[in-house]
Amino acid sequence: MDYFKIFAIFLVLIIPVSASDVVLVSDTVSDCASANIIPTINDSYVVINTSWGVYDDDVLEQILSENPKNVIIVGGTVAVPSEYDTQLEEAGLTVERIYGIDRYQTNKNVILKFKDQIQNRNMWIVYGDDDRPEFCNAGDNIVILSNGTALSVDDEDLGDFDPGRVTVMENPVFNPNNVRARLENYGFYVSIQSMPESVLNRTVYRKMEQLQLQIETMEQLGINCTPLRNDLTSINNSIRNQNLEQAYAGELVLERNLLSYKHQNRHVYWNGPKITYNPKNNSPNYNN
């Protein structure tokens, strides 16, 4: 008799398997910044990313490997396809989705859901299209998105917060002074963190590399990207002329167009069961 094997089986039976609940979110910085609030409230949650707009069986396996009982999906069904809900529920897990009609309302709904648990924290006000990676790793800071004029959180809800320090993150296409004045009306202590030219330079070149790679990937998949290539050429010209703010603004527009192309051609990226199209998924109301 193999006593070692019996002992090993005995250990497996008596030692509980570690488990973590999961927050599933797309790989966009805005949604990641919203989702990362949750593990700072409940450290039993881990964050897992899926490529924006794409269902992937490998991601499903990664989720299941955490042995969760609960999964919170952050983002609408365009950002995180509904196939995840279906597969996770069929696996016997409890699935909750927190989302809005866009990234701003998703951000708002996450913040308001956990409002009571995030009082007295510092806040970062971040332009919604600003994809600097540090915004995904804000620690205990609460990231509130702005579209350049309004904040994701309404005035009446802001009045319910008792934050520590509020920092408005400068961005070339975002005027922080208007937001600062609005927040100071609530008695918040507000500062502006500048975006030095060196940071803008690194951001523009990083985004350029990412956009180039995404377009090349689409072309390899057989997607006609001629209009995107033309936009990329225009941005390159701005960079060569050292007009970095214009280049940055062009990159933001091109990123949005790339997401639209990716959604229109999502069947090409799909790694999982055959897609069943749902008119709800194609609605412009689910565009975050």
Side-chain angles (χ1 to χ4, degrees), residues 24-85:
L24 177 63
V25 65
S26 77
D27 53 2
T28 60
V29 169
S30 57
D31 282 349
C32 284
S34 301
N36 278 325
I37 293 172
I38 298 170
T40 69
I41 297 166
N42 186 340
D43 62 7
S44 70
Y45 279 89
V46 296
V47 175
I48 292 177
N49 296 108
T50 183
S51 181
W52 186 94
V54 176
Y55 172 80
D56 190 336
D57 268 342
D58 294 338
V59 174
L60 180 67
E61 289 181 13
Q62 185 182 356
I63 295 169
L64 297 178
S65 71
E66 296 290 343
N67 301 304
K69 292 182 178 178
N70 304 289
V71 177
I72 297 176
I73 300 176
V74 173
T77 53
V78 167
V80 184
S82 60
E83 189 64 32
Y84 282 113
D85 305 65

Coordinates of all heavy atoms in Angstrom, one line a residue, residues 24-85:
L24 N -14.1 41.5 -12.1 CA -13.8 41.3 -13.5 C -14.0 42.7 -14.2 O -15.1 43.2 -14.1 CB -14.6 40.3 -14.2 CG -14.4 40.1 -15.7 CD1 -12.9 39.6 -16.0 CD2 -15.4 39.1 -16.2
V25 N -13.0 43.2 -14.9 CA -13.1 44.5 -15.5 C -12.3 44.5 -16.8 O -11.3 43.7 -16.9 CB -12.6 45.6 -14.5 CG1 -11.1 45.5 -14.2 CG2 -12.9 47.0 -15.0
S26 N -12.6 45.4 -17.7 CA -11.9 45.5 -18.9 C -10.5 46.1 -18.6 O -10.2 46.6 -17.5 CB -12.6 46.3 -20.0 OG -12.5 47.7 -19.7
D27 N -9.6 46.1 -19.7 CA -8.3 46.6 -19.5 C -8.2 48.1 -19.8 O -7.1 48.6 -19.9 CB -7.3 45.9 -20.4 CG -7.7 45.8 -21.9 OD1 -8.7 46.5 -22.2 OD2 -7.0 45.2 -22.7
T28 N -9.3 48.8 -19.8 CA -9.2 50.3 -20.0 C -8.9 50.9 -18.6 O -9.4 50.4 -17.6 CB -10.5 50.9 -20.5 OG1 -11.6 50.6 -19.6 CG2 -10.8 50.4 -21.9
V29 N -8.1 52.0 -18.6 CA -7.7 52.6 -17.3 C -8.9 53.1 -16.6 O -8.9 53.0 -15.3 CB -6.6 53.7 -17.6 CG1 -6.4 54.5 -16.3 CG2 -5.3 53.0 -18.1
S30 N -9.8 53.8 -17.2 CA -10.9 54.4 -16.5 C -11.7 53.3 -15.8 O -12.1 53.6 -14.6 CB -11.9 55.1 -17.5 OG -12.3 54.2 -18.5
D31 N -12.1 52.2 -16.4 CA -12.8 51.2 -15.7 C -12.0 50.5 -14.6 O -12.5 50.1 -13.5 CB -13.4 50.1 -16.7 CG -14.6 50.6 -17.4 OD1 -15.2 51.7 -17.0 OD2 -15.0 50.0 -18.4
C32 N -10.7 50.3 -14.9 CA -9.8 49.7 -13.9 C -9.7 50.6 -12.6 O -9.8 50.1 -11.5 CB -8.4 49.5 -14.4 SG -8.2 48.2 -15.5
A33 N -9.6 51.9 -12.8 CA -9.6 52.8 -11.7 C -10.8 52.7 -10.8 O -10.8 52.8 -9.6 CB -9.4 54.2 -12.2
S34 N -12.0 52.5 -11.5 CA -13.2 52.3 -10.8 C -13.2 51.0 -10.0 O -13.6 50.9 -8.8 CB -14.4 52.4 -11.7 OG -14.5 53.7 -12.4
A35 N -12.9 50.0 -10.7 CA -12.9 48.6 -10.1 C -12.0 48.4 -9.0 O -12.3 47.7 -8.0 CB -12.6 47.6 -11.2
N36 N -10.8 49.1 -9.0 CA -9.8 48.9 -8.0 C -10.2 49.5 -6.6 O -9.5 49.3 -5.6 CB -8.5 49.5 -8.4 CG -7.7 48.5 -9.3 OD1 -7.8 47.3 -9.1 ND2 -7.0 49.0 -10.3
I37 N -11.3 50.2 -6.6 CA -11.8 50.7 -5.3 C -12.3 49.5 -4.4 O -12.1 49.5 -3.2 CB -13.0 51.6 -5.5 CG1 -12.6 52.9 -6.2 CG2 -13.8 51.9 -4.2 CD1 -13.7 53.8 -6.6
I38 N -12.8 48.5 -5.1 CA -13.4 47.4 -4.4 C -12.5 46.6 -3.5 O -12.8 46.3 -2.3 CB -14.2 46.5 -5.3 CG1 -15.3 47.3 -6.1 CG2 -14.8 45.2 -4.6 CD1 -16.0 46.6 -7.2
P39 N -11.3 46.1 -4.0 CA -10.4 45.4 -3.1 C -9.8 46.2 -1.9 O -9.4 45.7 -0.9 CB -9.2 45.0 -4.0 CG -9.8 45.1 -5.4 CD -10.8 46.2 -5.4
T40 N -9.9 47.6 -2.0 CA -9.4 48.4 -0.9 C -10.5 48.4 0.2 O -10.2 48.8 1.3 CB -9.1 49.8 -1.3 OG1 -10.3 50.5 -1.7 CG2 -8.2 49.9 -2.5
I41 N -11.7 48.0 -0.1 CA -12.8 47.9 0.9 C -12.9 46.5 1.4 O -13.1 46.3 2.6 CB -14.1 48.3 0.2 CG1 -14.1 49.8 -0.2 CG2 -15.3 48.1 1.2 CD1 -15.2 50.2 -1.2
N42 N -12.7 45.5 0.5 CA -12.8 44.1 0.9 C -11.7 43.4 0.3 O -11.7 43.1 -0.9 CB -14.2 43.6 0.5 CG -14.4 42.1 0.9 OD1 -13.5 41.4 1.3 ND2 -15.7 41.7 0.9
D43 N -10.7 43.0 1.1 CA -9.4 42.4 0.5 C -9.6 41.0 0.1 O -8.6 40.3 -0.3 CB -8.2 42.6 1.5 CG -8.4 42.0 2.8 OD1 -9.4 41.2 3.0 OD2 -7.6 42.2 3.7
S44 N -10.8 40.5 0.3 CA -11.0 39.1 -0.2 C -11.2 39.1 -1.8 O -11.3 38.0 -2.4 CB -12.3 38.5 0.4 OG -13.5 39.1 0.0
Y45 N -11.3 40.3 -2.4 CA -11.5 40.4 -3.8 C -10.1 40.6 -4.5 O -9.3 41.4 -4.0 CB -12.4 41.5 -4.2 CG -13.9 41.2 -4.1 CD1 -14.5 41.4 -2.8 CD2 -14.6 40.7 -5.1 CE1 -15.9 41.1 -2.7 CE2 -15.9 40.4 -5.0 CZ -16.6 40.6 -3.8 OH -17.9 40.2 -3.7
V46 N -10.0 40.0 -5.7 CA -8.8 40.2 -6.5 C -9.4 40.7 -7.9 O -10.5 40.4 -8.3 CB -8.0 39.0 -6.8 CG1 -7.3 38.5 -5.5 CG2 -8.8 37.8 -7.4
V47 N -8.6 41.6 -8.5 CA -9.0 42.1 -9.8 C -8.4 41.3 -11.0 O -7.2 41.1 -11.0 CB -8.6 43.6 -9.9 CG1 -9.0 44.2 -11.3 CG2 -9.3 44.5 -8.9
I48 N -9.3 41.0 -11.9 CA -8.8 40.3 -13.1 C -9.3 41.1 -14.3 O -10.5 41.5 -14.4 CB -9.4 38.8 -13.2 CG1 -8.7 38.0 -12.1 CG2 -9.1 38.2 -14.5 CD1 -9.2 36.5 -12.0
N49 N -8.4 41.3 -15.3 CA -8.7 42.1 -16.5 C -9.0 41.2 -17.7 O -8.4 40.1 -17.8 CB -7.6 43.0 -16.8 CG -7.3 44.0 -15.7 OD1 -6.3 44.0 -15.0 ND2 -8.2 45.0 -15.6
T50 N -9.9 41.6 -18.5 CA -10.2 41.0 -19.8 C -10.0 42.1 -20.9 O -10.3 43.3 -20.6 CB -11.6 40.4 -19.9 OG1 -11.8 39.8 -21.1 CG2 -12.7 41.5 -19.7
S51 N -9.6 41.7 -22.0 CA -9.4 42.7 -23.1 C -10.8 43.3 -23.4 O -11.8 42.6 -23.5 CB -8.9 42.0 -24.3 OG -8.7 42.9 -25.4
W52 N -10.8 44.6 -23.6 CA -12.0 45.4 -23.8 C -12.8 44.8 -24.9 O -12.3 44.6 -26.0 CB -11.7 46.9 -24.1 CG -12.9 47.7 -24.2 CD1 -13.5 48.5 -23.2 CD2 -13.7 48.0 -25.3 NE1 -14.6 49.2 -23.6 CE2 -14.8 48.9 -24.9 CE3 -13.7 47.5 -26.6 CZ2 -15.7 49.3 -25.8 CZ3 -14.7 47.9 -27.5 CH2 -15.7 48.8 -27.1
G53 N -14.1 44.5 -24.6 CA -15.0 44.0 -25.6 C -14.9 42.6 -26.1 O -15.6 42.2 -27.0
V54 N -14.0 41.8 -25.4 CA -13.7 40.5 -25.9 C -14.0 39.4 -24.8 O -13.5 39.6 -23.7 CB -12.3 40.4 -26.4 CG1 -11.9 38.9 -26.8 CG2 -12.0 41.3 -27.5
Y55 N -14.7 38.4 -25.2 CA -14.8 37.2 -24.3 C -13.7 36.3 -24.5 O -13.3 36.0 -25.7 CB -16.1 36.5 -24.5 CG -16.2 35.2 -23.7 CD1 -16.5 35.2 -22.3 CD2 -15.8 34.0 -24.3 CE1 -16.5 34.1 -21.6 CE2 -15.8 32.8 -23.6 CZ -16.1 32.9 -22.2 OH -16.1 31.7 -21.5
D56 N -13.1 35.8 -23.4 CA -11.9 34.9 -23.6 C -12.0 33.8 -22.6 O -12.1 34.0 -21.4 CB -10.6 35.7 -23.3 CG -9.3 35.0 -23.7 OD1 -9.4 33.8 -23.7 OD2 -8.3 35.7 -23.9
D57 N -12.0 32.5 -23.1 CA -12.1 31.4 -22.2 C -10.9 31.3 -21.2 O -11.0 30.8 -20.1 CB -12.1 30.1 -23.0 CG -13.5 29.6 -23.4 OD1 -14.4 30.1 -22.7 OD2 -13.7 28.8 -24.3
D58 N -9.7 31.8 -21.6 CA -8.6 31.8 -20.8 C -8.8 32.7 -19.5 O -8.4 32.4 -18.4 CB -7.3 32.3 -21.5 CG -6.9 31.3 -22.6 OD1 -7.3 30.2 -22.5 OD2 -6.2 31.8 -23.6
V59 N -9.5 33.8 -19.7 CA -9.8 34.7 -18.6 C -10.8 34.0 -17.7 O -10.7 34.1 -16.5 CB -10.4 36.0 -19.1 CG1 -10.9 36.9 -17.9 CG2 -9.3 36.8 -19.9
L60 N -11.8 33.3 -18.3 CA -12.8 32.5 -17.5 C -12.0 31.5 -16.6 O -12.3 31.4 -15.4 CB -13.8 31.8 -18.4 CG -14.8 31.0 -17.7 CD1 -15.8 31.9 -16.9 CD2 -15.6 30.2 -18.7
E61 N -11.1 30.8 -17.2 CA -10.3 29.8 -16.4 C -9.5 30.5 -15.3 O -9.4 30.0 -14.2 CB -9.4 29.1 -17.3 CG -10.1 28.1 -18.3 CD -9.1 27.3 -19.2 OE1 -7.9 27.4 -18.9 OE2 -9.5 26.7 -20.1
Q62 N -9.0 31.7 -15.6 CA -8.3 32.4 -14.5 C -9.2 32.8 -13.4 O -8.8 32.7 -12.2 CB -7.7 33.7 -15.1 CG -6.8 34.4 -14.1 CD -6.2 35.7 -14.8 OE1 -6.4 36.0 -15.9 NE2 -5.5 36.5 -13.9
I63 N -10.4 33.2 -13.7 CA -11.4 33.5 -12.6 C -11.7 32.3 -11.8 O -11.7 32.3 -10.6 CB -12.7 34.1 -13.3 CG1 -12.4 35.4 -14.0 CG2 -13.8 34.3 -12.2 CD1 -13.6 35.9 -14.8
L64 N -12.0 31.2 -12.5 CA -12.4 30.0 -11.8 C -11.3 29.4 -10.9 O -11.5 28.8 -9.9 CB -12.9 28.9 -12.8 CG -14.2 29.3 -13.6 CD1 -14.5 28.2 -14.6 CD2 -15.3 29.5 -12.6
S65 N -10.0 29.7 -11.4 CA -8.9 29.2 -10.6 C -8.8 29.8 -9.2 O -8.1 29.3 -8.3 CB -7.6 29.4 -11.4 OG -7.2 30.8 -11.4
E66 N -9.4 31.0 -9.1 CA -9.5 31.7 -7.8 C -10.5 31.0 -6.8 O -10.6 31.5 -5.6 CB -9.8 33.1 -8.0 CG -8.7 33.9 -8.8 CD -7.4 34.1 -8.0 OE1 -7.4 34.0 -6.8 OE2 -6.4 34.5 -8.7
N67 N -11.3 30.1 -7.3 CA -12.3 29.4 -6.5 C -13.3 30.4 -5.8 O -13.5 30.3 -4.6 CB -11.7 28.5 -5.4 CG -10.8 27.5 -6.0 OD1 -11.2 26.7 -6.8 ND2 -9.5 27.5 -5.6
P68 N -13.8 31.4 -6.6 CA -14.6 32.4 -6.0 C -16.1 31.9 -5.8 O -16.5 30.9 -6.4 CB -14.6 33.5 -7.0 CG -14.5 32.8 -8.3 CD -13.6 31.6 -8.0
K69 N -16.7 32.6 -4.8 CA -18.2 32.4 -4.7 C -18.9 33.5 -5.4 O -20.0 33.4 -5.9 CB -18.6 32.3 -3.3 CG -18.1 31.0 -2.5 CD -18.6 31.0 -1.1 CE -18.2 29.7 -0.4 NZ -18.7 29.7 1.0
N70 N -18.3 34.7 -5.4 CA -18.9 35.9 -5.9 C -18.0 36.6 -6.9 O -16.7 36.6 -6.8 CB -19.1 36.9 -4.8 CG -20.0 36.3 -3.7 OD1 -21.2 36.1 -3.8 ND2 -19.3 36.0 -2.5
V71 N -18.6 37.1 -8.0 CA -17.9 37.9 -9.0 C -18.6 39.2 -9.2 O -19.8 39.2 -9.5 CB -17.7 37.1 -10.3 CG1 -17.0 38.0 -11.4 CG2 -16.9 35.8 -10.1
I72 N -17.9 40.3 -9.1 CA -18.4 41.6 -9.5 C -17.8 42.0 -10.8 O -16.6 42.0 -11.0 CB -18.1 42.6 -8.4 CG1 -18.8 42.3 -7.1 CG2 -18.6 44.0 -8.9 CD1 -18.4 43.2 -5.9
I73 N -18.7 42.2 -11.8 CA -18.3 42.7 -13.1 C -18.4 44.2 -13.1 O -19.5 44.7 -12.9 CB -19.0 42.1 -14.2 CG1 -18.8 40.5 -14.2 CG2 -18.6 42.6 -15.6 CD1 -19.7 39.8 -15.3
V74 N -17.4 44.9 -13.5 CA -17.5 46.4 -13.6 C -17.4 46.8 -15.0 O -16.5 46.5 -15.7 CB -16.3 47.1 -12.8 CG1 -16.3 48.6 -13.0 CG2 -16.4 46.8 -11.3
G75 N -18.5 47.5 -15.5 CA -18.6 47.9 -16.9 C -19.7 47.2 -17.6 O -20.2 46.2 -17.2
G76 N -20.2 47.8 -18.7 CA -21.3 47.3 -19.4 C -21.0 46.2 -20.3 O -19.8 45.7 -20.3
T77 N -21.9 45.7 -21.0 CA -21.7 44.4 -21.8 C -21.0 44.6 -23.1 O -20.6 43.6 -23.7 CB -23.1 43.8 -22.1 OG1 -24.0 44.7 -22.7 CG2 -23.8 43.3 -20.8
V78 N -20.7 45.9 -23.5 CA -19.8 46.1 -24.6 C -18.4 46.0 -24.1 O -17.5 45.4 -24.7 CB -20.1 47.5 -25.2 CG1 -19.0 47.8 -26.2 CG2 -21.4 47.4 -26.0
A79 N -18.1 46.5 -22.9 CA -16.8 46.5 -22.4 C -16.4 45.1 -21.9 O -15.3 44.6 -22.1 CB -16.6 47.5 -21.2
V80 N -17.3 44.4 -21.1 CA -17.2 43.1 -20.6 C -18.4 42.3 -21.1 O -19.5 42.4 -20.5 CB -17.1 43.1 -19.1 CG1 -16.8 41.6 -18.6 CG2 -16.0 44.0 -18.6
P81 N -18.2 41.5 -22.2 CA -19.3 40.8 -22.8 C -20.2 40.0 -21.8 O -19.7 39.4 -20.9 CB -18.7 39.9 -23.9 CG -17.4 40.6 -24.2 CD -16.9 41.2 -22.9
S82 N -21.5 39.9 -22.1 CA -22.4 39.2 -21.3 C -22.2 37.7 -21.2 O -22.7 37.0 -20.3 CB -23.9 39.4 -21.7 OG -24.0 39.0 -23.1
E83 N -21.4 37.2 -22.1 CA -21.0 35.7 -22.1 C -20.3 35.4 -20.8 O -20.5 34.3 -20.3 CB -20.1 35.4 -23.3 CG -19.9 33.9 -23.4 CD -21.2 33.1 -23.8 OE1 -22.0 33.7 -24.4 OE2 -21.2 32.0 -23.3
Y84 N -19.6 36.3 -20.2 CA -19.0 36.1 -18.9 C -20.1 35.8 -17.8 O -19.9 34.9 -17.0 CB -18.1 37.2 -18.5 CG -16.8 37.3 -19.1 CD1 -16.4 38.3 -20.0 CD2 -15.8 36.3 -18.9 CE1 -15.2 38.3 -20.7 CE2 -14.6 36.3 -19.5 CZ -14.3 37.4 -20.4 OH -13.0 37.4 -21.0
D85 N -21.1 36.6 -17.8 CA -22.2 36.4 -16.8 C -22.8 35.0 -17.0 O -22.9 34.3 -16.0 CB -23.4 37.4 -17.1 CG -22.9 38.9 -17.0 OD1 -22.1 39.3 -17.9 OD2 -23.4 39.6 -16.2

